[in-house]
Amino acid sequence: MAVASDDASPQAGREGQSDDRDASANERARESNRRYRQAHPDRHAASARRWKEAHPERVRELNRRWRAENLERSRELNRESMRRVAARKRRLTDKRRRANEASRRWKEANPERVRAYRREWVAANRDKVNEYYRRYHGRHREELNARATAWRDSQPEKMKHARKAWADRNKERTAEIQRKRRSDPEKYQADLAANAAERRLRVRLERAGLPPKRLHRTTAAERRSNERAKECYFDDPALPERLRQFTSFTVMLTELLTDQGDRMREFAEAYVATRARMGLPAVDAEQLMYARAAELVTRRMKRVDLLTGREVAAAVRSAKAAAASAVRVRQLNEVIGAVQEHVRRHHQRLRADADLENRLRVRKGKPQVLAELLVVRSALQEVLETSTKGRLPVATLLGRAEQIEAAVVAAGIWPLSPTGRVRASRQEAMEGSVTR
């Protein structure tokens, strides 16, 4: 054991001496490298860059190892780097701000020189300017088109004069466009046919004493304005409730005017007469009646907050027309009922008058008329000569005489004639009414 111990001691000493020599050699090598880097910084930087580019994985691995072994130092270096970057950005921003302020002050003080410089630069760099315009227009095509369209719509008179001036300056171009369109036979014939149809319609309306056609051409600006109004109306989220209120208001107003229109008109006329007796300013009874009806319907409805004045006026016009039509139908039915009742009560006398009328027509060489039709005509004439209170005007009833006669004859109210002949069929009555 002692011998072994003596042998190991010299070997350990030799190993310690070897480690010292290696450390000394490494230190000398590092010192030599440091002197070389200091003497040749550019060469060293280029060599290091080449090595890093040739060994990216090795560089990443060394960086990860160093950061893992020196985490706190790495974070401190990162914070210092961020502080330097932030300070550099602040310096650049402040420098740029001062330069911009100085440039702005100089431009404000020298506007003529600025305009001259810009003109010279644009003239010298026409290709760049055109390229800038093309790129900007390509990126903002829709925005520029919308802006130009809005300007044209807001300046209709200027655009009208501009189009006329262009046509005056480009008469040859205009003529060429027209010749090109007329060169297509189908388009040319379609234009001729449309013009001829419009002329024929105008002549027919003039001969019939009717007003000309009210349709007119609309410009693109008007169509765009209508389209915007339509989108604004139909995109309104409150539209369903608004339409519901308008429909309910119109229906209720129509029902009120149909059922109680006569009573409300009498009240309005009495109110107007009372104001006249008191020396107050006169008011229109019809307007008063519709205003009162609209007020009553508004009180009955739960919600009318979305209705505008124009919509209320439209509802009043619609209800007025519908109520007037319903009243005319009701009054016409009342007249038809009165004629039927008159025929039932005075059938014998009216039938005798009808037979006498036919005999007179035969003597004069005229064709006979269905006796039942003559009875109805006589009854209608006698009814019109009596009171017509609450009914349609006499002129209106005379204009609808054929309708009244056909309705009464078709009702089949005729008793058996003295000779036992059955009453006239509905088809014969209608044929007699048509041949009148």
Side-chain angles (χ1 to χ4, degrees), residues 159-276:
M159 291 305 302
K160 181 179 179 181
H161 294 317
R163 284 191 292 268
K164 187 177 183 304
W166 185 91
D168 294 339
R169 291 194 309 268
N170 301 271
K171 294 182 178 180
E172 292 297 331
R173 174 62 176 163
T174 305
E176 178 63 25
I177 294 174
Q178 294 175 353
R179 284 194 296 270
K180 184 177 179 180
R181 180 173 180 82
R182 288 195 295 268
S183 63
D184 189 343
E186 295 182 359
K187 292 183 179 179
Y188 186 55
Q189 292 299 326
D191 291 342
L192 293 179
N195 294 337
E198 187 175 356
R199 284 195 300 271
R200 288 195 298 269
L201 176 61
R202 184 171 62 252
V203 171
R204 287 199 303 269
L205 293 176
E206 291 178 357
R207 289 177 178 175
L210 298 174
K213 186 174 64 172
R214 296 182 180 275
L215 297 179
H216 63 282
R217 295 182 182 273
T218 58
T219 62
E222 292 176 347
R223 291 193 296 271
R224 285 191 291 269
S225 177
N226 296 336
E227 188 68 20
R228 287 193 296 270
K230 182 196 73 174
E231 293 177 356
C232 181
Y233 178 79
F234 286 104
D235 292 344
D236 185 3
L239 179 61
E241 176 62 20
R242 187 177 182 180
L243 291 178
R244 189 196 66 79
Q245 293 183 13
F246 177 76
T247 304
S248 301
F249 186 86
T250 304
V251 171
M252 294 178 64
L253 186 61
T254 303
E255 294 177 353
L256 178 63
L257 292 176
T258 303
D259 297 339
Q260 306 180 23
D262 295 339
R263 186 175 62 83
M264 296 183 69
R265 186 180 297 276
E266 292 177 358
F267 172 81
E269 293 175 352
Y271 179 78
V272 171
T274 302
R275 288 178 61 90

Side-chain angles (χ1 to χ4, degrees), residues 110-144:
N110 304 274
E112 294 298 333
R113 294 181 62 181
V114 170
R115 283 193 289 268
Y117 171 78
R118 289 177 177 174
R119 285 194 297 267
E120 293 174 359
W121 189 93
V122 169
N125 301 272
R126 179 58 61 182
D127 295 337
K128 287 185 178 181
V129 173
N130 293 338
E131 182 61 25
Y132 294 157
Y133 283 155
R134 281 193 295 269
R135 287 207 303 265
Y136 182 84
H137 193 275
R139 291 193 301 266
H140 306 85
R141 183 182 302 274
E142 295 182 359
E143 179 184 352
L144 292 175

Side-chain angles (χ1 to χ4, degrees), residues 336-359 369-386 408-409 413-415 417-418 421:
I336 293 175
V339 172
Q340 291 175 348
E341 182 65 23
H342 193 77
V343 169
R344 289 192 185 95
R345 291 183 178 181
H346 308 282
H347 179 266
Q348 297 296 332
R349 177 177 59 81
L350 295 174
R351 184 56 183 266
D353 294 341
D355 293 339
L356 178 60
E357 176 69 21
N358 275 329
R359 288 196 296 269
V369 181
L370 187 66
E372 286 77 4
L373 187 57
L374 291 176
V375 169
V376 173
R377 290 178 183 175
S378 300
L380 177 59
Q381 187 65 30
E382 292 177 1
V383 168
L384 293 181
E385 291 176 356
T386 59
V408 176
V409 173
I413 61 175
W414 318 105
S417 62
R421 185 173 63 85

